[in-house]
Amino acid sequence: MFDWISGFIDAVGAFGIGLLMFLENVFPPIPSELIMPLGGFNAAAGTEHLFWVIVAGSIGSLAGALFWYWIGRRLGTHRLKRLAAKHGRWLTILPEDLDRSNDWFTRHGGSAVLIGRLIPTVRTFISVPAGVARMPLASFMAFSAVGTVSWTAFLAFAGFLLGSQYGLVAGWLDPVSTAVVVGIVGVYIWRVATYGRRKTRKAGAREDQTEA
């Protein structure tokens, strides 16, 4: 993947950086930890301008965030509830969970989006609950922009300062990214395994409320 990303950026330039960062947000296995440091290295070598590397990477990343926000908004709470009722085990959510998550996102949406944009893999999917909760688009884009520009600028500057050693950035961040992905997969497996227990407990709580 490294050779492919390197060749693509060399051939297309800043536009290629933006396109790859868009794809990174749509398809997480394409790592920004390689894309942006490589763009920073090209800027240090004089083939790109660092400012445009950061701008292109940020625009591409924000376009990817907007893509997932639109999907979340398009689905909406009611449609997701129907999906949860039918495929709840594999989605690992109960219909009632969506109301609680929407309430939580209403209270913490801005900080959740800003911080989520700094975390590998999470940055891709944090846009979906924002869309489902119908977070105002202007607020979503503002918080996303702060997190996105901070992340892309950090990686680009690291590649610029390290020069030919920019691969060290990926070497340091790859284990972090892997740990986050493993953690997310582990939580998903646990939620699938305990779905029946959680569903029974929620049904019992509803019965208690009805009797009360």
Side-chain angles (χ1 to χ4, degrees), residues 91-113:
L91 293 173
T92 76
I93 56 174
L94 296 165
E96 299 90 335
D97 293 336
L98 291 168
D99 291 328
R100 190 165 60 253
S101 66
N102 281 345
D103 291 340
W104 179 89
F105 204 88
T106 299
R107 295 194 304 271
H108 307 288
S111 57
V113 169

Short mmCIF file of all heavy atoms in Angstrom, two decimals, residues 91-113:
data_model
loop_
_atom_site.label_atom_id
_atom_site.label_comp_id
_atom_site.label_asym_id
_atom_site.label_seq_id
_atom_site.Cartn_x
_atom_site.Cartn_y
_atom_site.Cartn_z
N LEU A 91 -26.35 -5.46 14.42
CA LEU A 91 -26.08 -4.04 14.60
C LEU A 91 -25.68 -3.73 16.04
O LEU A 91 -25.20 -2.64 16.33
CB LEU A 91 -27.33 -3.22 14.25
CG LEU A 91 -27.76 -3.23 12.77
CD1 LEU A 91 -29.10 -2.53 12.61
CD2 LEU A 91 -26.70 -2.56 11.90
N THR A 92 -25.89 -4.70 16.92
CA THR A 92 -25.57 -4.65 18.36
C THR A 92 -26.34 -3.55 19.09
O THR A 92 -25.89 -3.06 20.11
CB THR A 92 -24.06 -4.47 18.63
OG1 THR A 92 -23.67 -3.13 18.38
CG2 THR A 92 -23.23 -5.44 17.80
N ILE A 93 -27.49 -3.17 18.57
CA ILE A 93 -28.29 -2.12 19.23
C ILE A 93 -29.74 -2.54 19.32
O ILE A 93 -30.25 -3.27 18.46
CB ILE A 93 -28.19 -0.76 18.50
CG1 ILE A 93 -28.61 -0.91 17.04
CG2 ILE A 93 -26.82 -0.14 18.63
CD1 ILE A 93 -28.68 0.41 16.29
N LEU A 94 -30.38 -2.09 20.37
CA LEU A 94 -31.83 -2.21 20.52
C LEU A 94 -32.47 -0.90 20.07
O LEU A 94 -31.82 0.15 20.11
CB LEU A 94 -32.18 -2.48 21.98
CG LEU A 94 -31.68 -3.80 22.58
CD1 LEU A 94 -31.78 -3.76 24.10
CD2 LEU A 94 -32.48 -4.96 22.02
N PRO A 95 -33.73 -0.94 19.64
CA PRO A 95 -34.38 0.32 19.24
C PRO A 95 -34.31 1.39 20.32
O PRO A 95 -34.12 2.58 20.03
CB PRO A 95 -35.83 -0.12 18.97
CG PRO A 95 -35.70 -1.55 18.54
CD PRO A 95 -34.58 -2.11 19.38
N GLU A 96 -34.42 0.97 21.60
CA GLU A 96 -34.36 1.94 22.69
C GLU A 96 -32.98 2.59 22.82
O GLU A 96 -32.86 3.72 23.30
CB GLU A 96 -34.72 1.26 24.03
CG GLU A 96 -36.12 0.67 24.07
CD GLU A 96 -36.15 -0.77 23.58
OE1 GLU A 96 -35.25 -1.17 22.80
OE2 GLU A 96 -37.08 -1.50 23.96
N ASP A 97 -31.94 1.86 22.40
CA ASP A 97 -30.59 2.40 22.49
C ASP A 97 -30.43 3.65 21.64
O ASP A 97 -29.64 4.55 21.97
CB ASP A 97 -29.56 1.36 22.04
CG ASP A 97 -29.49 0.17 22.98
OD1 ASP A 97 -29.86 0.35 24.17
OD2 ASP A 97 -29.06 -0.90 22.54
N LEU A 98 -31.17 3.71 20.53
CA LEU A 98 -31.04 4.85 19.62
C LEU A 98 -31.54 6.13 20.27
O LEU A 98 -30.93 7.19 20.09
CB LEU A 98 -31.81 4.57 18.33
CG LEU A 98 -31.21 3.48 17.44
CD1 LEU A 98 -32.18 3.09 16.34
CD2 LEU A 98 -29.89 3.96 16.83
N ASP A 99 -32.63 6.04 21.03
CA ASP A 99 -33.12 7.23 21.72
C ASP A 99 -32.10 7.73 22.73
O ASP A 99 -31.85 8.93 22.84
CB ASP A 99 -34.44 6.92 22.44
CG ASP A 99 -35.58 6.68 21.46
OD1 ASP A 99 -35.57 7.31 20.38
OD2 ASP A 99 -36.47 5.87 21.78
N ARG A 100 -31.49 6.79 23.47
CA ARG A 100 -30.50 7.18 24.47
C ARG A 100 -29.25 7.77 23.81
O ARG A 100 -28.70 8.76 24.29
CB ARG A 100 -30.13 5.97 25.33
CG ARG A 100 -29.29 6.34 26.55
CD ARG A 100 -29.22 5.23 27.57
NE ARG A 100 -28.63 4.01 27.02
CZ ARG A 100 -29.33 2.92 26.73
NH1 ARG A 100 -30.63 2.89 26.95
NH2 ARG A 100 -28.74 1.85 26.24
N SER A 101 -28.81 7.17 22.71
CA SER A 101 -27.62 7.69 22.04
C SER A 101 -27.89 9.06 21.42
O SER A 101 -27.01 9.94 21.41
CB SER A 101 -27.13 6.72 20.96
OG SER A 101 -28.08 6.60 19.92
N ASN A 102 -29.11 9.27 20.91
CA ASN A 102 -29.46 10.58 20.36
C ASN A 102 -29.47 11.64 21.45
O ASN A 102 -29.02 12.77 21.24
CB ASN A 102 -30.82 10.53 19.67
CG ASN A 102 -30.76 9.92 18.28
OD1 ASN A 102 -29.68 9.79 17.71
ND2 ASN A 102 -31.90 9.54 17.75
N ASP A 103 -30.00 11.27 22.64
CA ASP A 103 -29.99 12.22 23.75
C ASP A 103 -28.56 12.57 24.15
O ASP A 103 -28.23 13.73 24.41
CB ASP A 103 -30.74 11.63 24.95
CG ASP A 103 -32.24 11.51 24.70
OD1 ASP A 103 -32.72 12.22 23.80
OD2 ASP A 103 -32.90 10.72 25.40
N TRP A 104 -27.70 11.54 24.21
CA TRP A 104 -26.30 11.76 24.57
C TRP A 104 -25.62 12.65 23.53
O TRP A 104 -24.90 13.58 23.88
CB TRP A 104 -25.57 10.43 24.68
CG TRP A 104 -24.11 10.59 25.03
CD1 TRP A 104 -23.57 10.64 26.27
CD2 TRP A 104 -23.02 10.71 24.10
NE1 TRP A 104 -22.21 10.80 26.19
CE2 TRP A 104 -21.85 10.85 24.87
CE3 TRP A 104 -22.93 10.72 22.71
CZ2 TRP A 104 -20.60 10.99 24.29
CZ3 TRP A 104 -21.68 10.88 22.13
CH2 TRP A 104 -20.53 11.00 22.91
N PHE A 105 -25.90 12.38 22.25
CA PHE A 105 -25.24 13.15 21.20
C PHE A 105 -25.74 14.59 21.18
O PHE A 105 -24.98 15.51 20.86
CB PHE A 105 -25.48 12.50 19.84
CG PHE A 105 -24.43 12.85 18.83
CD1 PHE A 105 -23.28 12.09 18.72
CD2 PHE A 105 -24.56 13.96 18.02
CE1 PHE A 105 -22.29 12.43 17.81
CE2 PHE A 105 -23.59 14.30 17.11
CZ PHE A 105 -22.45 13.53 17.00
N THR A 106 -27.00 14.79 21.53
CA THR A 106 -27.51 16.15 21.61
C THR A 106 -26.76 16.96 22.66
O THR A 106 -26.48 18.15 22.49
CB THR A 106 -29.02 16.14 21.95
OG1 THR A 106 -29.71 15.44 20.90
CG2 THR A 106 -29.57 17.55 22.05
N ARG A 107 -26.39 16.30 23.77
CA ARG A 107 -25.67 16.99 24.85
C ARG A 107 -24.18 17.15 24.55
O ARG A 107 -23.58 18.16 24.92
CB ARG A 107 -25.83 16.22 26.17
CG ARG A 107 -27.26 16.18 26.70
CD ARG A 107 -27.28 15.71 28.15
NE ARG A 107 -26.64 14.42 28.32
CZ ARG A 107 -27.27 13.25 28.20
NH1 ARG A 107 -28.57 13.24 27.90
NH2 ARG A 107 -26.64 12.11 28.37
N HIS A 108 -23.57 16.16 23.91
CA HIS A 108 -22.11 16.17 23.75
C HIS A 108 -21.66 16.13 22.30
O HIS A 108 -20.49 15.86 22.02
CB HIS A 108 -21.50 14.96 24.47
CG HIS A 108 -21.91 14.83 25.90
ND1 HIS A 108 -21.45 15.68 26.88
CD2 HIS A 108 -22.74 13.96 26.51
CE1 HIS A 108 -21.97 15.32 28.05
NE2 HIS A 108 -22.77 14.29 27.85
N GLY A 109 -22.57 16.42 21.37
CA GLY A 109 -22.26 16.24 19.95
C GLY A 109 -21.03 16.96 19.48
O GLY A 109 -20.19 16.40 18.77
N GLY A 110 -20.87 18.24 19.85
CA GLY A 110 -19.74 19.02 19.38
C GLY A 110 -18.41 18.44 19.80
O GLY A 110 -17.51 18.21 18.96
N SER A 111 -18.26 18.16 21.09
CA SER A 111 -16.99 17.62 21.58
C SER A 111 -16.77 16.20 21.05
O SER A 111 -15.62 15.81 20.78
CB SER A 111 -16.97 17.62 23.12
OG SER A 111 -18.06 16.88 23.64
N ALA A 112 -17.84 15.42 20.89
CA ALA A 112 -17.71 14.06 20.36
C ALA A 112 -17.17 14.09 18.94
O ALA A 112 -16.29 13.31 18.57
CB ALA A 112 -19.06 13.34 20.40
N VAL A 113 -17.69 15.00 18.11
CA VAL A 113 -17.23 15.11 16.73
C VAL A 113 -15.78 15.59 16.69
O VAL A 113 -14.94 15.03 15.98
CB VAL A 113 -18.13 16.07 15.92
CG1 VAL A 113 -17.51 16.40 14.58
CG2 VAL A 113 -19.51 15.46 15.73
#
